[in-house]
Structures are given as structure tokens and as C-alpha cells.
Amino acid sequence: SQQGEEDPQALSIQEGENATMNCSYKTSINNLQWYRQNSGRGLVHLILIRSNEREKHSGRLRVTLDTSKKSSSLLITASRAADTASYFCATDPFEGAQKLVFGQGTRLTINP
Amino acid sequence: KAGVTQTPRYLIKTRGQQVTLSCSPISGHRSVSWYQQTPGQGLQFLFEYFSETQRNKGNFPGRFSGRQFSNSRSEMNVSTLELGDSALYLCASSQYPGGKTEAFFGQGTRLTVV
């Protein structure tokens, strides 16, 4: 089944730096969503970007979507220790089974 | 508004037993989805219910089943447990089915099969 692929699989940066995570997917989508998961807990929704949108902001988060390249990026600016978590992209496919399909995630570690 | 509640949080079962997990969605949400999360396979979609009807089912054996009640609460059942069923089971609720809107996740049920 279609699945987003996050890149990199793991990322470690210093507090205060910016973190960028990428997501690629295979088929046309209605929307793409980003979620955060702290270790062993539930997922928290961050941003939903629709296929006709190119960029969305929420606080220190910036998400871009390039449907021609079938890719999205999540930028976290001025990172904090509390941003340490796994980040997942999830796609809502335009065709086929209507369900959110999650990627494998990027493990982000913010070092103090 | 109360969040998504999953019970129990932790569960230890023996191979061959069956287990039932419960999920109470956010008030007003009629869609409930279930996911299995393991280190090797990531987040795998199990099934989705909307207004008491199963709309979608993932690629899991028939041992995995679920249902939704008229108050939108949902249960999933796994029969004849196998060691490989050890995982974090996550429930998510949303206003509309499919992935059209944001999903709100519970804290999950950690199932260990021994």
C-alpha cells in the first residue's frame, strides 16, 4: 500500500537549531498531515496541508507541500528539548482506500 | 473537551488467549480508527468504523476484529494471541471518516503477549 517515507530516519541537533524533516509519497493525495509522537505515547496532530496548498505555518512549525514532486517538508525553528520526539507524515490518498497512511517516521533528538 | 480514552493502558496476555481493547472517542466524533504500532512495521492500519459500520479494513488476519457502538465507543478484539501481536495499539477519532480531517489519538494500549 502507499506509504510516506520520511527522511532522515533519525536526526540529532543542538537546542536552538532548526530541524528539517522530509516526506515523500507515491500517489496523488487529498491532504498530507504531520504528527508528533513522544516515546510510547499517542500521536499528536501538528498540521494538515491540503493538496491545493503549498505552505502552512503553526507557531514554530512550517510545512511545505510540492505535489509535483510528491514531497513535503516539516521545519521546526528554534528547537527546544521538548521537541524531542518521533515525527510522522500521513497521507490521505486521492484514490483507493480512504484512510490515513503513515510513514515510518523521523526520530528527532534535541541536545541541550 | 475530553480526549480519546483507551483502556486498559497495559496488558499482558498468554499465547492463545484473546483480548478486548476499548476506545472512547472525543464527544461528537463518529469515526474511530485503530492502528497497530511495532518497531519493525511502524504504524499499520487495522480498521475504521463510522456510525457503527466498518468502512475500511487493513491487511490483518481475521483474528483481529472490531465493532462500534451507537455512542461511537469502539472495541477491538484479538483472538488466539500470538507473540507477534505484541504491540502498541492506538485508537484515533475524527469528525469525518477517511483521512479528510485531523485525527485525535489516544495514549494507546501496550499489549505484551508471552
Side-chain angles (χ1 to χ4, degrees):
Chain A
S1 63
Q2 176 197 348
Q3 190 173 46
E5 292 183 6
E6 283 94 339
D7 170 57
Q9 290 189 351
L11 179 62
S12 181
I13 62 174
Q14 295 300 121
E15 196 167 16
E17 294 180 338
N18 296 340
T20 300
M21 289 158 273
N22 302 296
C23 169
S24 60
Y25 54 92
K26 295 176 186 151
T27 66
S28 296
I29 59 172
N30 294 307
N31 70 63
L32 185 145
Q33 304 181 36
W34 284 91
Y35 289 82
R36 182 188 74 229
Q37 183 181 35
N38 291 88
S39 184
R41 309 292 294 275
L43 279 72
V44 174
H45 182 266
L46 297 176
I47 287 184
L48 182 155
I49 185 165
R50 304 198 183 281
S51 60
N52 61 352
E53 298 175 308
R54 292 295 168 259
E55 189 170 309
K56 282 191 91 167
H57 296 255
S58 177
R60 294 182 296 112
L61 307 181
R62 172 179 169 248
V63 167
T64 62
L65 179 64
D66 187 334
T67 52
S68 66
K69 295 181 179 178
K70 293 186 171 59
S71 68
S72 173
S73 68
L74 169 67
L75 168 67
I76 303 175
T77 60
S79 63
R80 305 167 182 168
D83 294 328
T84 294
S86 291
Y87 291 82
F88 296 87
C89 68
T91 53
D92 171 27
F94 185 71
E95 291 180 341
Q98 294 183 352
K99 61 182 182 181
L100 273 180
V101 182
F102 285 83
Q104 292 293 318
T106 292
R107 176 67 191 168
L108 174 65
T109 302
I110 308 299
N111 302 302
Chain B
K1 199 186 253 192
V4 178
T5 303
Q6 288 188 248
T7 57
R9 288 294 310 280
Y10 302 91
L11 209 48
I12 299 176
K13 289 287 189 178
T14 305
R15 271 183 303 174
Q17 287 187 313
Q18 75 163 19
V19 66
T20 299
L21 311 182
S22 179
C23 172
S24 293
I26 289 173
S27 177
H29 286 189
R30 292 189 294 161
S31 174
V32 174
S33 298
W34 288 89
Y35 294 85
Q36 181 197 64
Q37 186 176 31
T38 59
Q41 297 297 317
L43 273 156
Q44 300 289 313
F45 174 81
L46 281 157
F47 27 65
E48 179 184 35
Y49 288 88
F50 181 76
S51 295
E52 301 179 66
T53 301
Q54 186 181 89
R55 291 189 75 253
N56 232 325
K57 191 176 193 304
N59 189 26
F60 279 82
R63 300 185 295 108
F64 292 80
S65 63
R67 58 178 176 169
Q68 186 179 35
F69 302 96
S70 58
N71 63 357
S72 294
R73 190 177 71 85
S74 177
E75 288 182 348
M76 67 163 280
N77 184 276
V78 188
S79 62
T80 319
L81 284 166
E82 301 176 359
L83 294 180
D85 297 333
S86 295
L88 180 66
Y89 289 87
L90 292 164
C91 159
S93 80
S94 55
Q95 280 190 304
Y96 303 105
K100 302 297 179 283
T101 56
E102 64 183 297
F104 294 83
F105 282 79
Q107 292 300 296
T109 293
R110 173 74 63 183
L111 172 64
T112 302
V113 182
V114 297

